[in-house]
Amino acid sequence: MAKLTLKNLNKSFYKNREAIHAVSDLSIETKDGEFVALLGPSGCGKSTTLRMIAGLEDITSGEVLIGERKLNDLHPKDRNIGLAFENYAMYPPLSVYDNISFNMRAKNVPKETIKKEIDKMASLLDLKDLLAMNPSALSGGQKQRVNIARALIRRPEVLLLDEPLSHLDGKVRQKMRTEIKHLHNEINCTTIIVTHDQLEAMALADRIAIIKDGVLQQFGTPLEVFNHPQNEFVAGFIGEPPMNIFTVFATFKEGSVYLVSKNGKLRFNVPDKYKDYLEEGKEYRFGIRPTDISVVTDDQPYSTELNVTVFENVGEECRIHIKIEEDNILSIVSEEIYKLDTGDGIKIKFDSDRIHIFDVNTGERVEKQKVLI
Ligand SMILES: Nc1ncnc2c1ncn2[C@@H]1O[C@H](COP(=O)(O)OP(=O)(O)OP(=O)(O)O)[C@@H](O)[C@H]1O
């Protein structure tokens, strides 16, 4: 077990003399044994960060440490890091057993010790039936398990997983995700996973570092980033279907705060605490998750009457799409009583405890106090 620290990490590539800042001033500190996901869209710098930790990419500036040990100038093999890449090549003529034990054999580790270690890995990763096989006969999920075994057999202090599930499909992917989580619970090795799949990050990680254009946007538990996104990017990136986000302006009337959509058709009251954060007449970006919009049947205060654009019943939930000029709103309700048609009038209500308001210019959340979850 070990604590991994990234301190003001920077990486610039140069293309035609122009600098590409792939990673900008990234600082993250894991706990011992923590499972951390680096999450962000394609090109945001996740793999470059992982490669710098592994020693496969030079660091432009900043530090990588395991505990107090600085890794910057160490050769990859001296870092005590296990690396499982998605397309990590295995030696095709060798059996799975020989592939996993390759490095130990190269170091002349006694045969009995190797066997003991491989038996441990085989039971941990369910590899017993695969050990005699040739890599070319393995399925995608099996290859991943062997890759992870190869990384773990070195007993690394930190395990790095680069998109381990991205080429697996549907059920195998989900099964492998559960296996990785289970494995982590068993070995408790500090683990960094790179993924662009927010659901994967939410399901696996203790904490998620969300990165955009090489810059850390938020580092928090899955619940923190879901319930309290620090900016509009995180709000839109986490959650499926994504959060409804549209532009509003604030008005103050008789001591209450109202937000009004740009087209004037949505007007709703927000809790009084927002008086401290909002300025009268100013524009904001307003966010609410589809599951935090309910349909109300009676005359509840602060509900808004609108017309259904599209209604979908997808079995376990109903999805109500409402288009009001440029604004699209999606409400997800579980009640089966809602059988609606296009054009039907309904009343919707926002859960005022679960709204998100962002500065229109910076995208930052207007209220910054930490929510304890
Ligand atoms: N060797 C390189 N030379 C020049 N630019 C590079 C190099 N490697 C990465 N980049 C650039 O650095 C940025 C970050 O790339 P990186 O591969 O780390 O992103 P990523 O988040 O892992 O993306 P993906 O999910 O697509 O793998 C991108 O703009 C990429 O084009």
Side-chain angles (χ1 to χ4, degrees), residues 13 15 20 22 40-49 57 163 194 196:
F13 293 106
K15 241 183 206 167
I20 300 166
S42 183
C44 75
K46 313 177 287 289
S47 299
T48 304
T49 302
E57 197 76 74
E163 300 264 8
V194 156
H196 60 268

Side-chain angles (χ1 to χ4, degrees), residues 15 27 70 76 85 97 100 141 147 164 217-218 255 278 318 339 343:
K15 241 183 206 167
S27 293
K70 190 171 158 187
F85 275 124
Y97 187 102
I100 299 175
N147 270 339
Q217 305 292 306
Q218 188 167 359
L278 304 179
C318 298
K339 288 191 176 59

